[in-house]
């Protein structure tokens, strides 16, 4: 237990499958192109950083420890794809990923979250990720066990009669005892019959009463630091968790019992080992709003805390050991991607030591009308496709014509120029305003088709665009 709580000072030897397939930089960029329009330089930088991890795993152990990831700073206005690139990147490789905002953290000694909590949260994400994968592997076996358990609950063992029930039974003739072998065979047949019905789904809507685990009391310790919080969680997990009977439908009971059986089938020690390895070697930490903690020259007041946050971030980015509830976790080979608009502050306003830990700088370009047209049509999750699907659920068919999409893109670009430039997020505002009446009246328009062309867009939005005050408050 102590080893799990405080970890080991010796780094574990990592092994990698030699034949493991991994995406090439070109393949990574192609996958990112399905969701993010433009920004070739940023995609190229993250693709190389990801491929370098795969290359590092194939180096001899001595060299592997020396190769550190090349962290990236993305510079660009809001809504141009900084967060989306990092998020999609993590999904591609099933890597533990966490997005944090630098402004949410404070210097040690101030009230607020300390930066080490980033690593603790990342490890928790990695554990849940590996746990889900392991549960998926044993799901079929767990479901079979759940059928057995539910059949036992629905057809319980008969109560055994007591040998002597009262003093008078001694003098009265004994009742004939049932044939235990026949009873056992009958019970088995009945349970098999119930199990068959369960598999066929014929009992899904029946009500059954099963024992469920209730969250036990937590051990509270006043004045907790990071290590003491781990101790508190460990002590809470040692307390027995009470159970109580709860009524639910058979379908829900099967789902609950399958999860419970799957938990028993997986080895949590193996899950934790794999999760820590994955967090240490594949973890991606996206630090947004990094420009907001950059102390500008000659500034006073809250900039003291901002600089303190940078100083606290420095050892984590550089590489250190952080204590978590699962043991010590090394941050030496985690990939850090920082992002910020840098409207007021500049990357050079960051601490020189922190700048040195982010050697790759990529500038993301503001979006133009052509980019907006591509965003509305090309990605798998394009907004036009989303609205089509949403209104199709009401039985209403909508069609966006090419000139209608161009007009939406033009209005979004114009609104960004007149008001604050919020990038692609402006499309959400424009489309929501454009389709507001249609969405409201959709339940009464079942079976109708609506064509959204240039005239349709101008009729509903041109007046707002011409009035600069309305543009600021509505679009």
């Amino acid at each position: 237990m102590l080893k799990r709580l405080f970890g080991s000072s010796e780094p574990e030897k990592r092994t990698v499958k030699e034949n493991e397939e991994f995406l090439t930089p070109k393949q990574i960029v192609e996958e990112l192109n399905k969701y993010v329009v433009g920004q070739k330089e940023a995609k190229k930088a993250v693709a190389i950083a990801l491929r370098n991890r795969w290359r590092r795993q194939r180096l001899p152990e001595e060299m592997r420890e020396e190769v550190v990831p090349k962290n990236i700073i993305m510079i660009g206005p809001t809504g141009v794809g900084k967060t989306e690139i990092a998020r999609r990147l993590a999904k591609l490789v099933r890597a533990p990923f966490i997005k944090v905002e630098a402004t949410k953290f404070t210097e040690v000694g101030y009230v607020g979250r300390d930066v080490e909590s980033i690593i603790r949260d990342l490890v928790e994400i990695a554990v849940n990720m590996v746990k889900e994968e392991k549960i998926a592997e044993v799901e079929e076996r767990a479901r079979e066990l759940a059928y057995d358990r539910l059949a036992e609950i629905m057809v319980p063992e008969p109560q055994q009669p007591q040998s002597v029930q009262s003093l008078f039974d001694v003098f009265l003739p004994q009742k004939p005892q049932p044939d235990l072998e026949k009873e056992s065979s009958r019970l088995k047949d009945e349970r098999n019959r119930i199990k068959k019905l369960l598999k066929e789904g014929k009992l899904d809507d029946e009500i059954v009463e099963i024992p469920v685990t209730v969250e036990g009391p937590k051990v509270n310790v006043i004045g907790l630091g990071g290590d003491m919080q781990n101790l508190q969680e460990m002590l809470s997990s040692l307390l027995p968790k009470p159970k109580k009977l709860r009524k639910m439908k058979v379908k829900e009971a099967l789902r609950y019992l399958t999860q419970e059986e799957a938990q028993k089938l997986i080895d949590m020690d193996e899950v934790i080992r794999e999760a820590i390895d994955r967090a240490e070697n594949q973890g991606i930490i996206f630090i947004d709003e990094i420009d907001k903690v950059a102390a500008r020259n000659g500034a006073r007041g809250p900039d003291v805390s901002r600089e303190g946050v940078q100083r606290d971030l420095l050892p984590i980015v550089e590489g250190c050991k952080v204590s978590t509830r699962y043991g010590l976790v090394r941050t030496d080979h985690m990939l850090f991607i920082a992002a910020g608009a840098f409207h007021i502050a500049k990357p050079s306003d960051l601490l020189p030591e922190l700048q040195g830990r982010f050697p790759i700088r990529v500038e993301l370009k503001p979006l133009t009308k052509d980019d907006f047209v591509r965003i509305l049509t090309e990605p798998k999750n394009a907004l036009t496709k989303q609205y089509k699907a949403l209104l199709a659920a009401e039985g209403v068919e909508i069609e966006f014509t090419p000139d209608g999409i161009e007009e939406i893109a033009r209005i979004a670009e114009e609104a960004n120029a007149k008001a604050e430039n919020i990038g692609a997020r402006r499309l959400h505002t424009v489309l929501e305003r454009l389709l507001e009446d249609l969405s409201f009246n959709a339940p009464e328009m079942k079976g109708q088709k609506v064509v959204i062309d240039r005239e349709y867009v101008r009729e509903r939005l041109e007046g707002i665009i011409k009035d600069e005050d309305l543009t600021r408050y509505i679009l």
Side-chain angles (χ1 to χ4, degrees):
M1 185 194 298
L2 290 174
K3 188 174 180 181
R4 269 187 61 187
L5 183 58
F6 298 108
S8 171
S9 58
E10 294 297 323
E12 292 183 15
K13 293 184 179 180
R14 311 296 183 193
T15 58
V16 179
K17 296 177 185 176
E18 291 299 324
N19 59 351
E20 184 185 355
E21 292 183 7
F22 200 84
L23 295 170
T24 64
K26 283 184 181 178
Q27 289 172 331
I28 292 169
V29 171
E30 284 170 9
E31 288 296 320
L32 290 174
N33 284 340
K34 293 177 182 178
Y35 300 97
V36 183
V37 168
Q39 315 302 358
K40 290 182 181 178
E41 293 301 316
K43 290 174 184 173
K44 192 175 177 182
V46 296
I48 293 169
L50 210 60
R51 186 67 180 184
N52 278 340
R53 295 180 140 198
W54 178 85
R55 292 164 180 158
R56 175 184 162 270
Q57 295 291 345
R58 273 137 187 82
L59 297 176
E61 191 173 347
E62 287 184 13
M63 180 65 74
R64 191 190 312 161
E65 285 300 313
E66 297 300 321
V67 176
V68 293
K70 306 299 183 288
N71 299 319
I72 303 166
I73 286 187
M74 292 185 183
I75 304 165
T78 184
V80 295
K82 300 188 295 292
T83 308
E84 191 66 10
I85 287 172
R87 193 166 63 86
R88 293 291 174 185
L89 189 74
K91 279 189 176 182
L92 277 179
V93 292
R94 290 286 298 161
F97 172 80
I98 186 170
K99 174 187 178 290
V100 297
E101 291 183 11
T103 51
K104 293 285 176 70
F105 300 93
T106 58
E107 184 180 357
V108 173
Y110 285 71
V111 176
R113 296 189 70 192
D114 64 286
V115 294
E116 288 192 352
S117 64
I118 300 171
I119 308 302
R120 288 194 283 270
D121 291 345
L122 181 74
V123 173
E124 204 68 51
I125 290 166
V127 168
N128 290 334
M129 183 183 286
V130 175
K131 194 175 174 182
E132 283 175 12
E133 291 172 6
K134 298 292 183 186
I135 285 174
E137 289 174 10
V138 299
E139 191 173 7
E140 287 185 17
R141 172 68 180 146
R143 182 168 282 275
E144 280 296 317
L145 293 171
Y147 283 132
D148 290 336
R149 273 188 66 186
L150 197 52
E152 288 172 9
I153 291 169
M154 296 177 79
V155 186
E157 293 272 358
Q159 291 185 351
Q160 296 294 333
Q162 295 179 359
S163 57
V164 178
Q165 294 180 356
S166 68
L167 184 62
F168 296 103
D169 289 340
V170 178
F171 303 101
L172 294 174
Q174 293 289 322
K175 295 177 184 177
Q177 294 290 331
D179 189 334
L180 294 178
E181 202 171 304
K182 283 185 180 178
E183 184 64 25
S184 175
S185 177
R186 185 196 67 79
L187 193 68
K188 186 178 178 182
D189 291 341
E190 182 63 17
R191 284 177 176 172
N192 285 337
R193 186 181 72 82
I194 293 294
K195 190 175 174 182
K196 186 181 177 184
L197 291 173
L198 288 170
K199 286 184 176 181
E200 291 171 355
K202 293 180 179 178
L203 303 176
D204 282 356
D205 294 326
E206 298 294 323
I207 301 296
V208 67
E209 195 173 43
I210 65 168
V212 297
T213 305
V214 182
E215 194 65 36
K218 291 190 176 180
V219 178
N220 290 319
V221 185
I222 298 171
L224 294 178
D227 295 336
M228 288 302 295
Q229 191 172 356
N230 297 333
L231 180 60
Q232 174 185 330
E233 290 169 350
M234 185 66 71
L235 291 173
S236 296
S237 65
L238 292 175
L239 293 174
K241 293 182 178 178
K243 291 200 170 191
K244 73 172 185 178
L245 292 173
R246 183 176 294 170
K247 289 183 179 179
M248 61 179 75
K249 287 187 177 181
V250 165
K251 194 175 183 180
E252 295 170 7
L254 269 173
R255 193 181 301 121
Y256 177 83
L257 292 173
T258 301
Q259 289 175 353
E260 205 171 67
E261 291 299 324
Q263 298 275 3
K264 295 176 186 175
L265 290 172
I266 61 174
D267 181 358
M268 275 309 293
D269 289 334
E270 184 187 343
V271 167
I272 290 167
R273 279 196 300 273
E274 190 174 329
I276 290 176
D277 177 61
R278 197 177 291 190
E280 288 182 342
N281 294 289
Q282 298 179 31
I284 299 174
I285 297 171
F286 184 83
I287 306 172
D288 206 1
E289 309 288 359
I290 192 73
D291 56 318
K292 304 299 187 295
V293 296
R296 294 172 287 283
N297 293 330
R300 294 181 179 276
D303 287 331
V304 176
S305 182
R306 288 174 182 170
E307 198 167 304
V309 172
Q310 293 184 63
R311 282 197 300 269
D312 291 343
L313 276 171
L314 187 58
I316 290 176
V317 178
E318 187 176 18
C320 66
K321 290 179 181 178
V322 176
S323 176
T324 72
R325 62 183 293 196
Y326 303 107
L328 291 177
V329 176
R330 299 171 64 202
T331 67
D332 303 63
H333 301 290
M334 292 179 183
L335 177 65
F336 290 83
I337 301 175
F342 289 97
H343 287 311
I344 301 170
K346 304 183 294 294
S348 57
D349 291 328
L350 294 168
L351 290 177
E353 299 89 343
L354 194 61
Q355 290 180 50
R357 300 294 179 268
F358 288 89
I360 301 172
R361 295 183 187 180
V362 182
E363 189 168 350
L364 285 83
K365 298 172 185 176
L367 299 173
T368 63
K369 177 188 164 184
D370 292 337
D371 292 325
F372 286 145
V373 170
R374 291 180 61 197
I375 288 168
L376 288 169
T377 54
E378 290 182 11
K380 276 188 174 182
N381 60 338
L383 280 175
T384 50
K385 296 174 185 175
Q386 291 180 32
Y387 278 103
K388 276 184 182 179
L390 285 171
L391 289 167
E394 295 274 11
V396 179
E397 184 185 350
I398 59 171
E399 180 188 344
F400 290 91
T401 63
D403 63 333
I405 287 174
E406 279 188 19
E407 189 63 18
I408 293 168
R410 183 191 68 79
I411 288 172
E413 185 183 41
E414 196 173 328
N416 274 344
K418 286 185 177 181
E420 190 70 30
N421 187 353
I422 58 171
R425 293 188 179 94
R426 184 70 67 185
L427 291 172
H428 289 267
T429 313
V430 171
L431 275 169
E432 197 61 39
R433 185 69 184 175
L434 175 67
L435 301 173
E436 185 178 35
D437 291 338
L438 186 57
S439 295
F440 185 79
N441 297 316
E444 289 79 40
M445 297 174 63
K446 193 170 184 179
Q448 294 185 32
K449 181 178 179 179
V450 180
V451 178
I452 298 170
D453 55 12
R454 179 170 291 161
E455 293 303 318
Y456 185 98
V457 176
R458 282 182 178 173
E459 184 184 334
R460 282 156 180 79
L461 297 179
E462 194 65 40
I464 297 172
I465 278 293
K466 284 180 179 177
D467 191 323
E468 194 166 327
D469 290 332
L470 283 177
T471 303
R472 289 180 181 278
Y473 289 103
I474 295 178
L475 293 184

